Amino acid sequence: MQVFRLQMLRFAGQEPEAMFVLISPRAGVNLQWKIGQRLGMGRAMIQRRDFLRKTVKAGLGAGLGSVFRWEPVEAGPSRRGVVVKAQDARLRRGRSLDTDRLGDLLDAAMQQLFDVDSADEAWKKVVRPGEVIGLKVNCIAGKGNATTLELVELVAERLQRAGIRAKDIIIWDRLNRDLENAGYRIRYRGNRVRCFGNDAAGYDNRLFTYGSAGSLVTRVLTEMCDGFINLPVLKDHGIVGVTLALKNLFGAIHNPNKYHINVGDPYVADVFMFPPIRKKHRLTICDGTIGQYEGGPSYIRRWFWYPNMLLVATDPVALDRIGWDLIEEKRKQEKLPSLKEDEREPRYIFTAADRNHRLGIADIERIRVLNVKM
Amino acid sequence: MTLNRRTFLRMAATAPAFSLAGPAVSLVDAAGKEDRFVREARYYKKLPYKKIRCDLCPRECEIDDRERGYCGARENREGIYYTLVYSRPCTAHVDPIEKKPFFHFLPGTLAFSIATAGCNVNCKFCQNWEISQVRPEQVRSYYMPPSQVAAMANDYHCSCIAYTYSEPVIFYEYMYDTALAGHKRGVASVVVTGGYIKEEPLRDLCKVVDAIKVDLKAFSEKYYREIVNGELKPVLDGLVTIRKEEVWEEIVYLVVPTLNDSDREFRELARWIRTYLGPDVPIHFSRFYPQYLLKNLPPTPVKTLERAKEICDAEGLHFVYIGNVPGHPAESTYCPKCDKKVVDRVGYTIRAIHLQDGKCKFCGYPIPGIWSKKLI
């Protein structure tokens, strides 16, 4: 069987996604393919299906029933299918958060995920000194149901210990207004941690496309950051089922309103495939110190709870799968119908794991959950 | 009637002059003054927990507090639904009415054309995606209340105000009030839409506008689902509603190679139009050019458009045009009885009109359309 490998190459001064090399070991074919110009797909990442179709049309069909292996460039450490579930029943006294305990919980989770002796060592596997790192928070629901400020401060502090300068940390979400409503202070410049919305940063004028999605991406990702840490909240979503690691990146594009149809499938997965998102994603820390199991993404007190946990993973799909299960579990406890019964099962999580996306592992049997209990 | 030299020169001079000078003509940059564009929306229902359901288009978005609908131009704020684009056009031009295209509505006149950001579908071939697929705050806009639009249309000698470029359904309230303001000044209103709108707002709209051109994207639900992100059925229902409301309507069908260009689809479309709308509704088969998310297809071959016309002619439609092919003979209007050319067009230019009181000058056959200004 003839084996072709479709491999992405980096060229100096060029977007890495702009070129692929088709390598046929048997025939020794080495065909450079300028996706943008030849196929007229802009800066799109070519889909496996599209690639096959176009290759057949180009008369290179011999032996194409064979195996293709697509090897995306991995940024940062890979822990596919591993999710740390870190819990601390005493994280709160009443409603107020014990920041020291939260810091300990975060450190323990990071150590566990990267299997190292100290949290600092773990963070050094996520970032390199001198990089600019974004922190994608989720603030749409306002104070009370946004990424906890204390958690974000702890992450920023740990990053600084790993060699990232304060001014090279950018806390960001869609709008300045959303950030402010959630208690964040807007700061564009200076030597302290910066914080602003896409409305202030603007969008890159290139149209990124993948599958069914086509969007402009925030300049925070395309121009400012070398990598980002994703900080969603453990939340139900009234249209797409849940909003966790994958869906949080709707906050990086200019047209999220277009992608809630069909329960977000395949749009949530497609958007995450945009190169500035997929390649710059380093880590997701899902804020489960708070949670919304029904009525999300808004804050509705009746269905709000304190799970007192963090979910940490480099695999956004596996994290979403585990987060989804947690929400389902809570819904069951509260005698609410499952998301499937409610016709909003987040199928996009499985799409994100399929052969066209390969963003992580969605098969619950293949996900390894590492429990941390404080 | 032949276009006289003075009118031609005036049209030629005015259109580009306004387009270029647009932002400088008493328009104020909208940045930083958001509140004046915010008006409570007309068609929505309040739901528990500050949610709302939009009843403007068939999508019926259910929207949480602080979220927006699919169109991106409407937002739920504390359980009240608002349009964010009232008096907020992001573009304004003076165009020939033929550019819309309207071929049976005041030919040879000018249309004061406006659009706001946003759209309730997401066509993969959209040529205006930079305004239709963005949110209002993501493009430069201007403050132009309805009365100002009407006044400017008058000042620029426009016979009508055209709501076009993006999707006027999503700036419904602004369009509605502008149409009323225009009528007060003797300026008509024409709508260029995808027709994806619910019946009640459409019926209300028909009471205040003079003509509607519907972009019928295809004649299959599959195409609407996959290429448009919409549905065909509500659009067809809307076409029938417009007909019943006796508002002048024309149809444009963008022919996209391999996706909606089969003989069968053309034939089914022609039969449906003949049955439900009648043979006198003009249909324009328009040429596709690669755009936005559909860059991997070639432009439509002219032969395909001619095949579509042949099929529709054979099915008994009276006014079948070919668009986006300047100089093609099928840009002109021919009398269905004597087959003589009654409106002679080249591109957007009218060379001659051989009509008298809406009838063919040669044989007296009535040609349907709005040929002289008479507001509803």
Side-chain angles (χ1 to χ4, degrees), chain B residues 148-221:
Chain B
Q148 192 181 348
V149 177
M152 290 179 81
N154 214 23
D155 292 348
Y156 283 93
H157 310 287
C158 296
S159 67
C160 62
I161 301 161
Y163 311 95
T164 179
Y165 303 132
S166 55
E167 174 50 67
V169 167
I170 64 98
F171 58 92
Y172 186 96
E173 295 79 3
Y174 180 39
M175 168 170 61
Y176 190 96
D177 290 354
T178 304
L180 291 176
H183 281 181
K184 280 185 191 163
R185 286 182 171 265
V187 182
S189 270
V190 300
V191 183
V192 177
T193 174
Y196 196 49
I197 181 171
K198 289 187 81 172
E199 187 175 341
E200 187 194 346
L202 178 59
R203 281 191 192 283
D204 291 346
L205 184 68
C206 285
K207 293 182 175 74
V208 299
V209 299
D210 303 270
I212 299 177
K213 189 219 80 179
V214 175
D215 282 312
L216 184 61
K217 318 279 183 181
F219 202 66
S220 79
E221 286 288 358

Side-chain angles (χ1 to χ4, degrees), chain A residues 39-40 54 140 174 177 181 203 207 209 214 239 254-258 261 267 296-298 300 302-303, chain B residues 49 59 62 64-67 69-72 75 77 119 121 129 133-135 138 229 292-293 295-296:
Chain A
L39 304 183
K54 287 177 188 295
I140 192 167
R174 295 182 325 154
R177 184 190 71 190
N181 287 342
Y203 292 89
L207 181 70
T209 63
I239 302 171
H254 84 293
N255 56 349
N257 46 298
K258 298 293 178 192
I261 53 174
Y267 305 100
S298 303
I300 298 178
R302 181 180 167 190
W303 295 307
Chain B
Y49 302 105
R59 200 174 290 283
E62 281 192 13
D64 275 304
D65 184 21
R66 302 184 201 214
E67 292 270 26
Y70 185 86
C71 61
E75 188 170 272
R77 293 181 180 176
C119 183
V121 292
W129 70 270
Q133 300 304 320
V134 301
R135 295 175 171 215
Q138 291 166 349
N229 279 307
Y292 187 38
L293 302 174
K295 287 182 178 167
N296 55 341

Side-chain angles (χ1 to χ4, degrees), chain A residues 343-363:
Chain A
E343 295 180 354
R344 52 189 178 98
E345 184 184 38
R347 296 186 306 268
Y348 65 79
I349 296 174
F350 298 110
T351 303
D354 72 13
R355 295 161 81 190
N356 287 328
H357 296 81
R358 296 180 189 242
L359 286 166
I361 311 274
D363 179 358

Side-chain angles (χ1 to χ4, degrees), chain B residues 15-259:
Chain B
F18 180 76
S19 298
L20 294 172
V25 186
S26 75
L27 300 180
V28 181
D29 195 336
K33 297 168 184 172
E34 301 287 318
D35 287 351
R36 59 187 168 167
F37 307 120
V38 178
R39 286 283 173 101
E40 187 171 355
R42 279 183 67 156
Y43 302 94
Y44 76 97
K45 191 179 175 191
K46 291 184 180 182
L47 301 175
Y49 302 105
K50 293 182 185 173
K51 288 191 178 188
I52 66 95
R53 189 188 66 211
C54 181
D55 281 330
L56 179 58
C57 94
R59 200 174 290 283
E60 294 185 336
C61 295
E62 281 192 13
I63 302 157
D64 275 304
D65 184 21
R66 302 184 201 214
E67 292 270 26
R68 292 194 192 176
Y70 185 86
C71 61
R74 288 161 184 269
E75 188 170 272
N76 178 359
R77 293 181 180 176
E78 299 281 325
I80 298 173
Y81 203 38
Y82 293 97
T83 167
L84 308 179
V85 289
Y86 193 91
S87 303
R88 191 181 198 174
C90 58
T91 185
H93 294 270
V94 174
D95 290 333
I97 188 84
E98 284 74 19
K99 191 179 170 185
K100 304 297 118 192
F102 276 106
F103 279 11
H104 290 231
F105 186 88
L106 304 179
T109 64
L110 297 170
F112 191 85
S113 308
I114 57 170
T116 74
C119 183
N120 60 350
V121 292
N122 185 6
C123 302
K124 287 189 162 65
F125 47 77
C126 184
Q127 61 176 348
N128 290 326
W129 70 270
E130 280 150 318
I131 59 169
S132 70
Q133 300 304 320
V134 301
R135 295 175 171 215
E137 68 276 14
Q138 291 166 349
V139 285
R140 192 178 177 195
S141 314
Y142 305 98
Y143 179 61
M144 283 179 76
S147 57
Q148 192 181 348
V149 177
M152 290 179 81
N154 214 23
D155 292 348
Y156 283 93
H157 310 287
C158 296
S159 67
C160 62
I161 301 161
Y163 311 95
T164 179
Y165 303 132
S166 55
E167 174 50 67
V169 167
I170 64 98
F171 58 92
Y172 186 96
E173 295 79 3
Y174 180 39
M175 168 170 61
Y176 190 96
D177 290 354
T178 304
L180 291 176
H183 281 181
K184 280 185 191 163
R185 286 182 171 265
V187 182
S189 270
V190 300
V191 183
V192 177
T193 174
Y196 196 49
I197 181 171
K198 289 187 81 172
E199 187 175 341
E200 187 194 346
L202 178 59
R203 281 191 192 283
D204 291 346
L205 184 68
C206 285
K207 293 182 175 74
V208 299
V209 299
D210 303 270
I212 299 177
K213 189 219 80 179
V214 175
D215 282 312
L216 184 61
K217 318 279 183 181
F219 202 66
S220 79
E221 286 288 358
K222 184 172 182 283
Y223 183 95
Y224 263 84
R225 200 170 49 245
E226 292 174 1
I227 307 296
V228 177
N229 279 307
E231 302 160 88
L232 171 63
K233 176 76 169 48
V235 179
L236 297 180
D237 291 346
L239 282 163
V240 174
T241 301
I242 296 166
R243 187 72 176 157
K244 281 183 187 163
E245 293 290 321
E246 297 180 348
V247 174
W248 179 254
E249 69 179 335
E250 301 194 19
I251 297 171
V252 165
Y253 186 104
L254 183 78
V255 182
V256 182
T258 72
L259 297 181

Side-chain angles (χ1 to χ4, degrees), chain A residues 195-236:
Chain A
C195 176
F196 45 81
N198 297 337
D199 52 342
Y203 292 89
D204 194 306
N205 59 15
R206 289 172 291 176
L207 181 70
F208 289 94
T209 63
Y210 189 89
S212 301
S215 304
L216 307 179
V217 175
T218 174
R219 287 178 57 237
V220 174
L221 280 185
T222 61
E223 293 176 20
M224 300 175 193
C225 291
D226 297 304
F228 75 94
I229 293 164
N230 194 12
L231 290 146
V233 178
L234 186 66
K235 278 200 287 191
D236 163 85

